[in-house]
Amino acid sequence: MTTDQKLSWTRIRALVRKEVNDFRRNRFIATTMAVLPLLFMIEPVISVFKLPADAPAGKLDALVGVSTLELMLIPALIPAVVASYAVVGEREQGTLEPVLTTPIRPAEFLLGKALAAFLPTVVIAYVMYGVFLGAVGLFAHPNIAHDIFEPSRVLTQLLFTPVVAGWAIWAAIAISTRTSDVRVAQQLGSLASLPPVAVIALIGFDVIQPSVGLAVGLGAGLLVIDLIAWRLVAAMFHRERLVTGARA
Amino acid sequence: MTVESDSAATRTRAVPTGPAIVVDGLTKRFGQRTAFADVTFSVDYGEVFGFLGPNGAGKTTTVRTLGTLLAPSAGTATVAGLPLTEANGVAIRSRIAVMPEQPGLYLRLSVAENLDFFAGLYELDDRRGRIERALRAVNLLDRADDPCRSLSKGLRQRVGLARALLSDPQILFLDEPTSGLDPLAARDVHDLVDGLRRRGVTIFLTTHRLAEAEALCDRVGIMNTTLRTIGRPDELRERLFAKTLQVATAAPLADPDRVLVGLPGVEGWHASEQGYVLAVTDPDLAAPAVARAVIGAGADLLALTPSRHSLEDVYLQLIDEDVEAQAR
């Protein structure tokens, strides 16, 4: 990146602050952020409590796999819903053109949008995971808790939460720059967020044997993909097409 | 409503030297469709330049191009002293402000939150002070905490104008600023633009309200895909229409030729419903002689008025020529 292309964190902060203020007052987004995580956390907690202490190992593994999967849907689906709104939402409400006539660069605009979806998502996802672990630690049978607290599983969850959110956000923003309807963007964005969740599912169900090394390796790989995705999406961002719907 | 003098957003500025905008052969095409072609003009700092034309004439596309939203297909331009290139996009956008036809406000956010966001995008210092001054300039300080959703269309337009003033731009592009406003709200916007002009802000105003352009603009360009003409409104009238004197008499003259032909400055005449229309070289020179001649001929002179062609007449003349040319 040359000096000329240096990012302005003042502009990015301004965008993040505006987005968060706007989300808080957008009933659909506020509801999505409040209700979905609760659903994805409560269901695994209930399942864990319903499991008898002498449940066979296979059933316990399956339960842990499903729980991991459901909790991972929080960083996958919430930012997809929020970030899908990023560009097409601005277009629909007529605010994109005024923003694009300011000195903001595409990379700053997209990074601001991504961070505004990323930060609340990761906080919510970690809080929900913390509540889940707390409930399991306090109230579940020690055998079950032991399996859920297995270090590689915890590390997988902690590492994958931000990188899965990153993937979901960039996929959703990429779709948002290309579609002209918010609902279509949200549906496609939700679908596009799922591939990394499939990897988590394979780990959760022990199809891929979980280990600390695997979690770190996959997490690092996904992080690199997220960074490349940011640059790719920035390259896809054409002011002209976004403003006029056509390219010269 | 007036632009208050104590506002930083409205403070009289040091006017940069040289032209604010220079456009040379600028063309924009979308595939096979030409939005505008071979447009050449310049705008000086401190000037209010009106860009007129019918819907689809290329006015908004020109503003978007000069505002670096669209890349020109051909030609060159300099905006606020910088060549219009992709590399200069950020620098140009830092020096200008564009108010699109729709103000594009975040309706869930308050007026002040909207302005604060844009102040951040321009990386402005003293954001709170600037917001206050910009809102005072458009008489909206008391609505700073109101959600934009609760504002009328006219008030939203004023917020859009306050937003455009925040960064104290060298050039202010106003795209149809009174579109869809009631006469009272439109007058508010006119007063604001007039106040900005008085303190030397360069304004590029697109409109199809001809009276608005005539009242506010130092010069106008009439656009219909190509730039049809450019000049001061009075220049355009002179260029397009012959100078005439209208002579109204109580009764027809017995021998108009004898009375009117050969008078100083009078080149010819023809009868009209009210009396006579005289083609003149200079109405101020011809009028006294005509008055003396008519009264000397024993007629009762009711009125002697130089013809006044409005900018609307100029506009309609040019656009009608285009329509006729297309029909041929």
Side-chain angles (χ1 to χ4, degrees):
Chain A
M1 193 179 290
T2 65
T3 315
D4 192 40
Q5 295 167 316
K6 229 184 242 174
L7 295 175
S8 159
W9 287 99
T10 306
R11 288 198 280 263
I12 293 169
R13 264 199 309 274
L15 186 55
V16 171
R17 196 168 47 237
K18 185 276 289 179
E19 288 285 286
V20 172
N21 278 337
D22 207 22
F23 291 161
R24 285 195 293 122
R25 293 166 209 175
N26 182 327
R27 201 172 293 167
F28 174 73
I29 288 181
T31 307
T32 302
M33 280 189 157
V35 175
L36 272 186
L38 279 176
L39 290 177
F40 290 137
M41 189 272 293
I42 288 170
E43 206 286 323
V45 170
I46 292 171
S47 303
V48 166
F49 289 169
K50 278 168 61 183
L51 196 70
D54 56 351
K59 199 166 181 185
L60 181 59
D61 283 345
L63 173 81
V64 172
V66 169
S67 303
T68 307
L69 195 61
E70 284 184 286
L71 286 162
M72 197 50 73
L73 287 176
I74 297 172
L77 291 181
I78 289 181
V81 171
V82 174
S84 300
Y85 193 77
V87 181
V88 69
E90 297 262 5
R91 275 180 78 183
E92 273 198 0
Q93 62 185 3
T95 48
L96 187 62
E97 184 169 345
V99 170
L100 295 183
T101 58
T102 71
I104 197 165
R105 294 181 170 84
E108 293 162 351
F109 178 82
L110 295 170
L111 193 56
K113 288 281 183 181
L115 285 174
F118 179 83
L119 297 173
T121 298
V122 169
V123 169
I124 290 169
Y126 279 156
V127 167
M128 290 298 126
Y129 188 50
V131 171
F132 172 74
L133 290 181
V136 169
L138 287 173
F139 305 114
H141 190 276
N143 285 347
I144 298 170
H146 180 265
D147 211 18
I148 286 172
F149 277 93
E150 208 275 307
S152 65
R153 288 194 194 283
V154 174
L155 192 65
T156 300
Q157 200 78 23
L158 293 179
L159 283 179
F160 271 57
T161 292
V163 288
V164 165
W167 166 274
I169 287 166
W170 289 121
I173 292 180
I175 289 163
S176 189
T177 62
R178 291 279 163 177
T179 52
S180 54
D181 185 277
V182 170
R183 279 166 301 178
V184 172
Q186 283 171 339
Q187 286 157 7
L188 293 177
S190 301
L191 277 179
S193 69
L194 293 177
V197 178
V199 178
I200 315 289
L202 295 177
I203 296 172
F205 291 114
D206 285 342
V207 177
I208 300 173
Q209 278 302 311
S211 70
V212 172
L214 180 76
V216 171
L218 283 176
L222 207 47
L223 180 63
V224 171
I225 291 172
D226 286 350
L227 292 173
I228 294 170
W230 170 37
R231 284 308 183 184
L232 282 178
V233 176
M236 286 164 61
F237 189 91
H238 294 291
R239 284 171 194 269
E240 184 154 330
R241 188 177 46 74
L242 291 169
V243 170
T244 65
R247 288 194 66 191
Chain B
M1 182 169 49
T2 57
V3 174
E4 296 182 19
S5 57
D6 66 336
S7 160
T10 59
R11 218 178 285 142
T12 302
R13 57 170 59 248
V15 178
T17 53
I21 303 171
V22 180
V23 173
D24 186 10
L26 207 65
T27 299
K28 179 63 189 174
R29 291 186 207 92
F30 297 101
Q32 298 296 308
R33 188 174 70 81
T34 300
F36 61 84
D38 202 22
V39 171
T40 299
F41 64 88
S42 70
V43 178
D44 287 333
Y45 279 111
E47 190 176 10
V48 178
F49 183 79
F51 215 45
L52 312 179
N55 293 333
K59 305 185 298 293
T60 297
T61 308
T62 305
V63 168
R64 285 173 169 172
T65 305
L66 296 176
T68 77
L69 283 177
L70 309 179
S73 308
T76 60
T78 303
V79 179
L82 296 168
L84 183 66
T85 61
E86 196 177 345
N88 285 336
V90 172
I92 289 174
R93 291 196 297 277
S94 300
R95 295 180 183 191
I96 66 170
V98 182
M99 189 175 109
E101 187 173 344
Q102 302 300 326
L105 303 172
Y106 295 95
L107 299 182
R108 284 183 285 268
L109 302 187
S110 71
V111 170
E113 284 170 333
N114 267 276
L115 298 191
D116 184 60
F117 169 49
F118 278 83
L121 295 184
Y122 280 99
E123 299 185 285
L124 300 176
D125 297 328
D126 183 25
R127 275 149 59 170
R128 187 175 294 190
R130 278 178 182 266
I131 290 167
E132 194 180 311
R133 289 188 289 268
L135 285 177
R136 191 176 296 134
V138 297
N139 284 350
L140 270 183
L141 196 53
D142 57 333
R143 306 294 297 267
D145 296 324
D146 289 5
C148 286
R149 184 192 297 281
S150 70
L151 302 181
S152 67
K153 192 168 181 180
L155 293 185
R156 288 179 192 179
Q157 207 74 358
R158 280 205 237 167
V159 177
L161 204 50
R163 183 181 65 198
L165 294 174
L166 268 180
S167 62
D168 206 9
Q170 289 184 21
I171 305 168
L172 183 56
F173 290 90
L174 303 177
D175 192 6
E176 305 278 4
T178 55
S179 172
L181 297 188
D182 64 52
L184 208 59
R187 195 183 65 189
D188 278 353
V189 173
H190 290 168
D191 288 347
L192 278 169
V193 173
D194 199 38
L196 293 170
R197 175 177 58 178
R198 277 189 270 113
R199 57 170 274 257
V201 175
T202 309
I203 297 176
F204 189 98
L205 171 83
T206 77
T207 183
H208 51 238
R209 292 190 177 195
L210 301 164
E212 175 174 285
E214 187 146 32
L216 295 175
C217 299
D218 300 311
R219 284 191 309 142
V220 295
I222 296 181
M223 180 88 170
N224 198 8
T225 308
T226 57
L227 189 61
R228 297 287 284 106
T229 191
I230 188 168
R232 292 198 313 272
D234 56 340
E235 273 178 2
L236 298 185
R237 283 193 291 266
E238 284 186 19
R239 208 182 295 164
L240 277 163
F241 296 102
K243 291 172 190 162
T244 58
L245 271 179
Q246 309 235 5
V247 181
T249 50
L253 296 170
D255 186 356
D257 263 339
R258 191 181 60 79
V259 176
L260 301 173
V261 172
L263 292 174
V266 176
E267 294 180 320
W269 68 274
H270 67 267
S272 71
E273 274 180 31
Q274 290 81 26
Y276 305 91
V277 177
L278 279 57
V280 297
T281 52
D282 181 353
D284 292 341
L285 174 72
V290 171
R292 280 194 297 272
V294 170
I295 293 165
D300 292 329
L301 180 62
L302 300 180
L304 184 59
T305 47
S307 59
R308 287 287 305 165
H309 287 286
S310 66
L311 187 59
E312 185 169 353
D313 296 327
V314 175
Y315 175 89
L316 292 174
Q317 170 87 6
L318 287 167
I319 301 303
D320 282 350
E321 280 174 18
D322 285 353
V323 171
E324 284 167 20
Q326 280 171 3
R328 278 197 292 269

